[in-house]
């Protein structure tokens, strides 16, 4: 049987593992994102990617509807759904 030589410790100048040396960057400040508006192409500085304020205002005016309340109806199972045999057992 041949035995492998014992592993020697790493040299002193051995670089540390990248995951131990990594630091989490601080979060970006609000409004730090600069991008062209996907709708009109104007340069925008905002928190998240999307249409500029003017485009959002126009979209709400043109596509937004009135809010309405919906009546809640009782659930009626489909005819082809059979009840669970365990639930029917007495």
């Amino acid at each position: 049987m041949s035995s492998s030589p014992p592993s020697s410790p790493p040299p002193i100048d051995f670089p540390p593992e990248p995951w131990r040396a990594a630091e989490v960057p601080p979060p970006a400040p609000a409004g730090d994102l600069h991008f062209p508006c996907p709708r009109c192409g104007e340069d925008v500085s905002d928190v998240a990617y999307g249409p500029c304020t003017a485009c959002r205002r126009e979209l709400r005016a043109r596509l937004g509807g009135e809010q309405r309340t919906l009546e809640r109806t009782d659930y009626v199972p489909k005819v082809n759904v059979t009840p669970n045999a365990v639930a029917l057992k007495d």
Side-chain angles (χ1 to χ4, degrees):
M1 266 206 264
S2 67
S3 63
S4 60
S7 60
S8 61
I12 303 289
D13 59 346
F14 192 75
E17 291 89 357
W19 59 88
R20 292 189 184 174
E23 292 183 21
V24 177
D32 196 32
L33 207 61
H34 300 286
F35 55 90
C37 173
R39 193 161 182 266
C40 66
E42 183 179 329
D43 286 334
V44 181
S45 176
D46 208 348
V47 182
Y49 180 79
C52 64
T53 308
C55 288
R56 282 195 301 257
R57 201 174 303 127
E58 181 186 334
L59 287 168
R60 279 191 192 108
R62 196 174 66 166
L63 300 175
E66 292 184 22
Q67 183 177 0
R68 58 188 172 142
T69 56
L70 298 175
E71 285 187 34
R72 185 176 177 161
T73 59
D74 292 332
Y75 173 73
V76 180
K78 292 172 40 177
V79 178
N80 64 345
V81 176
T82 58
N84 188 348
V86 176
L88 294 176
K89 199 177 215 182
D90 286 330

